[in-house]
Amino acid sequence: MTQTMEAGGVREGELLWTPRPEYAAASNVAKFVDWLRSEKGVELADYNELHRWSVSDIEGFWSSIWAYFDVQSDTPYTSVIDRKVMPGARWFDGSRVNYAEHLLRHEGDGRKTAFHHLSETRELAQMSWGELGDKVRIVATQLRALGIRPGDRIVSYMPNVPETAIAAMATIAIGAVWSSAAPEFGVKTVIERFSQIEPKLLFVADGYRFAGKDFSREQETQEIVSRLPTLEHVVWLPYLNPEAKSPVKARPWSELLDHPAVPRESFRFERVPCDHPIWVVFSSGTTGLPKAIVHSHVGVLLEHLKLMHFHINLKPGSVMFFYTTTGWMMWNLLLAALLTGASAVLYDGSPMHPGPDFLWQLAARTRCTSFGASPTFVQMMEKAGLRPGESHDLSALEGVLVSGSPSTPETFAWFYRHVKQDLWVTSQSGGTEICSGFVGAAPTLPVYAGEIQTRMLGMDVRALSDDGKEVIDEVGELCVKSPFPSMPIYFLKDEGGKRYQESYFEVFPGIWRHGDFIKINSRGGCYIYGRSDSTLNRFGVRIGTAEIYRCVEQLPEIADSLVVCVELPGGKFFMPMFVKLNPGSQLDGKLESEIARRLRNDCSPRHVPDRVYAVEAIPYTLTGKKMEVPVRKLLVGMPLEKAASRDAMMNPAAIDWYVKFAQESADYSWRVA
């Protein structure tokens, strides 16, 4: 049921949709509540009561998830959680599980579709559960034959195609550790990640196609391989050009697969202890190398079973699409759709090529039930004047998942006006650090404009003021007060866990501070207001400022730099860069082009700022940290006395230029200055 909206606009918090009673009753979360009542004697009237129970009785909730989904383990666990502390809690100690085994548990009827897949180089096709299972087992068996053992690291520089998914699942199946970089990443960005991992094997493709243009990765492959001394094996996928020969010593993907099928009953998944790593994902901070975040099989498995069933409501027969690359944790979540028996749609290419409605064509052709993209995608649709509900058959579509950056009331309203009226439009927010969400959706709750429906089950999320007090209906820091399974088990190259501690627990000891501004209203709805720290959020992808500085400050003309990303009205973003020039240099078109070229090639197109400004000085704190957060606060209208303390500055006068800049452009005219 959808509320009527005036064509002129929609108010924040306006009721837009209420689930039909039969839809809510048939949801996975409603069935779980019924099971808790009949099997556990836990009486819960509604979702809000379920959430309160899930964070007040941690052992009861997570042990119920284990039992409800019949998690397979070689040995019984001795405790759900050994101690309720962050960081350091051990989950399901004594158990031995394998995540990939659970991804393939729905292989039963091998003829049903596991993947729909399409790219700018390949036509739309399907891969059955049987074909997927066969290929995963063959690749896993060959990896073992190559000497890959549990705990060894395997990395990928491949696009979003079935081969990458198969490689990931095979890696995880044998207890090896997976990590992925998107092929649009430059060599420097890849090496900064993979050198921390010290991989034994690399999966690599010859290139990719985006918006009709081919991008070879043969030269990049040579450089990457030459700078990873621990590599023993390279597997080469001629994807862009089927005739492409590897520029390094490698075995072809086809050779890896050219072996007899391995029967399900004879294949052994490597069930691993509770603290065994599953993958390494990267989330960049403001200083140093990107954080190499390690998760466990058991933590991710429990979290993803909960997330995909209860907060995305996937079931056998569902079809999930989310526009993502292999360098973002949303790719990991897309594969997690298999845990529910649903199909996943893999797409590699531009969301706007050959036309702006391309992804809606894909949704119609795959009978997509859950469609996911970023708010930026909606802005592109709006600009193009699209009305997908009129031009495409979206009758199978049940829900929309908008993630990657804060959504506005207008984002929600666009879906109801131009896609479908009876639609569960959801916004969800979490992070690479947990490979999941903190706040998100529930199919039994109504949808309000611009509002994230609820806090997710098992996530004890609070909005805290600067002095650590919980606030309601006020903006505060997004914090989590109780442990949850998908917390990182550690960071690589982080002696004594110092960086892990500083990243999330330095401000409020023992409480996870995520770095987002959040408002939780009295009914439990949530609003995310962007980053409270200095990690950039560009087009739904987080970017570490350190990656940009390391690239730009190598230019001989630039002495220092500072970059921020500002959320603007209407859900838009503006990312300005401020540079201090060396004597004799000037900021002209040639230098601006070189900055953009360096960032695009060494990092990615998302790292390129919208505008570059020359300044006399970059402001620093007394401890030598660039004042990114205060500058961003100034640009969104916060007065200096609230944004920063001059007493804490190395050079107090350096901030004056930014104060004046913000004051003179309070109407956001500096976006195009």
Side-chain angles (χ1 to χ4, degrees):
M1 174 182 175
T2 306
Q3 307 300 308
T4 301
M5 294 176 291
E6 298 179 4
V10 60
R11 299 183 309 276
E12 182 177 271
E14 182 178 341
L15 178 63
L16 299 182
W17 178 83
T18 303
R20 289 175 284 106
E22 59 271 27
Y23 179 79
S27 68
N28 291 328
V29 73
K31 292 179 179 179
F32 179 57
V33 169
D34 291 342
W35 180 86
L36 286 171
R37 182 184 303 112
S38 63
E39 299 296 322
K40 300 292 183 180
V42 178
E43 295 282 346
L44 302 164
D46 54 23
Y47 180 87
N48 289 332
E49 284 195 9
L50 175 61
H51 179 266
R52 281 193 292 271
W53 173 72
S54 75
V55 296
S56 61
D57 185 359
I58 295 175
E59 290 95 337
F61 172 70
W62 289 108
S63 64
S64 294
I65 296 292
W66 182 285
Y68 187 70
F69 292 111
D70 188 25
V71 172
Q72 299 297 295
S73 173
D74 275 346
T75 52
Y77 59 84
T78 55
S79 63
V80 174
I81 181 173
D82 67 336
R83 51 201 176 112
K84 297 178 185 177
V85 298
M86 292 190 289
R90 288 171 63 89
W91 290 88
F92 295 95
D93 211 352
S95 66
R96 298 185 68 91
V97 305
N98 186 280
Y99 182 84
E101 179 179 9
H102 289 79
L103 288 177
L104 288 173
R105 282 180 76 184
H106 293 273
E107 190 182 345
D109 185 350
R111 295 168 297 177
K112 292 183 178 179
T113 299
F115 290 143
H116 301 266
H117 54 97
L118 173 69
S119 74
E120 291 191 24
T121 65
R122 297 173 175 175
E123 295 294 324
L124 179 64
Q126 290 74 42
M127 179 175 287
S128 70
W129 280 94
E131 183 182 358
L132 174 62
D134 283 346
K135 290 185 174 181
V136 169
R137 286 187 289 273
I138 290 172
V139 173
T141 301
Q142 293 310 306
L143 291 177
R144 281 173 168 155
L146 290 174
I148 304 298
R149 299 290 178 257
D152 287 344
R153 282 84 175 246
I154 291 179
V155 294
S156 163
Y157 192 45
M158 303 245 287
N160 184 11
V161 292
E163 290 90 339
T164 314
I166 291 164
M169 293 170 66
T171 297
I172 295 167
I174 63 172
V177 183
W178 173 260
S179 192
S180 175
E184 68 266 23
F185 286 178
V187 171
K188 190 168 184 284
T189 298
V190 174
I191 293 300
E192 286 179 346
R193 286 158 169 75
F194 289 173
S195 61
Q196 298 184 69
I197 293 175
E198 299 177 342
K200 195 170 182 178
L201 185 147
L202 166 70
F203 287 97
V204 64
D206 64 324
Y208 66 100
R209 183 174 295 164
F210 188 88
K213 183 179 179 181
D214 289 349
F215 296 87
S216 171
R217 281 297 176 259
E218 294 183 29
Q219 182 178 338
E220 286 81 359
T221 296
Q222 283 183 299
E223 292 186 51
I224 290 168
V225 170
S226 70
R227 295 169 65 181
L228 293 175
T230 59
L231 279 180
E232 297 179 9
H233 307 283
V234 177
V235 177
W236 173 255
L237 176 68
Y239 162 70
L240 185 61
N241 174 12
E243 304 302 319
K245 302 300 181 184
S246 174
V248 298
K249 183 181 179 181
R251 67 188 65 235
W253 172 264
S254 57
E255 181 183 304
L256 202 67
L257 274 175
D258 189 19
H259 294 274
V262 180
R264 271 184 277 173
E265 56 273 14
S266 62
F267 181 79
R268 175 179 57 84
F269 287 95
E270 189 71 38
R271 293 181 178 176
V272 294
C274 70
D275 58 352
H276 188 88
I278 179 173
W279 53 49
V280 183
V281 290
F282 292 90
S283 181
S284 300
T286 58
T287 58
L289 293 172
K291 298 193 290 283
I293 300 167
V294 184
H295 292 121
S296 70
H297 277 248
V298 75
V300 169
L301 175 60
L302 270 290
E303 176 59 35
H304 285 182
L305 285 169
K306 178 210 72 177
L307 174 73
M308 307 309 285
H309 284 88
F310 299 152
H311 298 290
I312 303 181
N313 200 38
L314 298 179
K315 308 170 183 178
S318 297
V319 179
M320 179 182 178
F321 169 77
F322 195 96
Y323 181 73
T324 181
T325 71
T326 55
W328 188 15
M329 69 92 176
M330 288 304 301
W331 185 79
N332 302 56
L333 285 187
L334 188 56
L335 297 190
L338 301 180
L339 290 171
T340 69
S343 305
V345 181
L346 309 179
Y347 171 63
D348 182 59
S350 167
M352 304 289 285
H353 182 80
D357 67 338
F358 180 75
L359 294 188
W360 295 109
Q361 294 180 31
L362 180 59
R365 293 174 69 187
T366 57
R367 302 290 293 167
C368 184
T369 61
S370 177
F371 181 93
S374 72
T376 306
F377 174 74
V378 178
Q379 293 164 20
M380 293 189 292
M381 300 298 97
E382 215 166 7
K383 186 177 180 180
L386 292 186
R387 296 174 178 265
E390 297 176 9
S391 53
H392 302 286
D393 178 8
L394 301 176
S395 56
L397 189 63
E398 298 178 358
V400 167
L401 192 163
V402 185
S403 186
S405 58
S407 296
T408 66
E410 291 76 19
T411 300
F412 282 50
W414 185 86
F415 284 106
Y416 287 113
R417 290 185 182 127
H418 302 309
V419 177
K420 199 173 186 179
Q421 288 196 339
D422 187 12
L423 190 65
W424 180 36
V425 177
T426 76
S427 178
Q428 314 213 17
S429 185
T432 301
E433 300 90 336
I434 65 167
C435 211
S436 184
F438 289 118
V439 293
T444 58
L445 297 176
V447 171
Y448 298 91
E451 185 173 305
I452 298 174
Q453 286 179 294
T454 186
R455 289 168 279 192
M456 289 189 177
L457 298 177
M459 294 294 184
D460 192 7
V461 174
R462 316 289 180 95
L464 299 187
S465 62
D466 289 344
D467 58 1
K469 294 180 180 178
E470 184 175 3
V471 295
I472 299 293
D473 288 318
E474 294 181 24
V475 178
E477 290 275 359
L478 191 163
C479 296
V480 187
K481 298 195 75 173
S482 303
F484 50 93
S486 66
M487 291 175 59
I489 48 177
Y490 53 83
F491 294 171
L492 291 180
K493 310 294 185 183
D494 182 25
E495 189 173 347
K498 181 180 178 183
R499 196 177 186 195
Y500 187 3
Q501 184 75 33
E502 290 176 347
S503 296
Y504 309 108
F505 303 101
E506 191 172 51
V507 176
F508 303 116
I511 296 175
W512 178 292
R513 171 189 169 274
H514 191 59
D516 281 341
F517 286 126
I518 187 174
K519 180 176 73 176
I520 303 173
N521 62 28
S522 54
R523 64 168 170 259
C526 305
Y527 294 85
I528 299 292
Y529 292 103
R531 300 296 295 165
S532 62
D533 61 19
S534 56
T535 301
L536 307 176
N537 192 329
R538 189 87 186 286
F539 303 118
V541 177
R542 289 184 181 173
I543 299 169
T545 56
E547 296 177 281
I548 293 177
Y549 299 145
R550 284 195 299 274
C551 180
V552 170
E553 290 170 16
Q554 291 177 6
L555 292 170
E557 298 89 348
I558 295 177
D560 205 355
S561 62
L562 183 142
V563 64
V564 297
C565 192
V566 183
E567 291 84 20
L568 299 175
K572 299 178 181 178
F573 300 91
F574 183 68
M575 193 168 97
M577 172 181 283
F578 306 96
V579 295
K580 179 184 177 183
L581 300 172
N582 282 315
S585 299
Q586 63 178 359
L587 182 63
D588 53 17
K590 182 180 179 182
L591 180 56
E592 289 190 65
S593 296
E594 180 61 11
I595 290 171
R597 188 192 70 80
R598 285 283 188 101
L599 286 168
R600 187 177 291 111
N601 291 343
D602 288 353
C603 299
S604 84
R606 294 183 177 90
H607 291 69
V608 179
D610 294 308
R611 287 299 304 272
V612 182
Y613 299 91
V615 296
E616 293 182 0
I618 301 297
Y620 281 84
T621 66
L622 289 173
T623 56
K625 294 182 179 179
K626 294 184 183 185
M627 298 180 64
E628 297 149 317
V629 173
V631 168
R632 186 172 69 83
K633 289 180 178 179
L634 288 172
L635 296 185
V636 297
M638 188 176 289
L640 177 61
E641 59 268 23
K642 289 190 175 181
S645 168
R646 287 186 181 272
D647 294 337
M649 301 180 196
M650 189 177 294
N651 177 11
I655 200 70
D656 293 338
W657 186 94
Y658 302 86
V659 172
K660 184 179 179 182
F661 182 67
Q663 290 172 344
E664 291 178 350
S665 49
D667 61 347
Y668 298 101
S669 61
W670 48 270
R671 284 178 293 170
V672 294

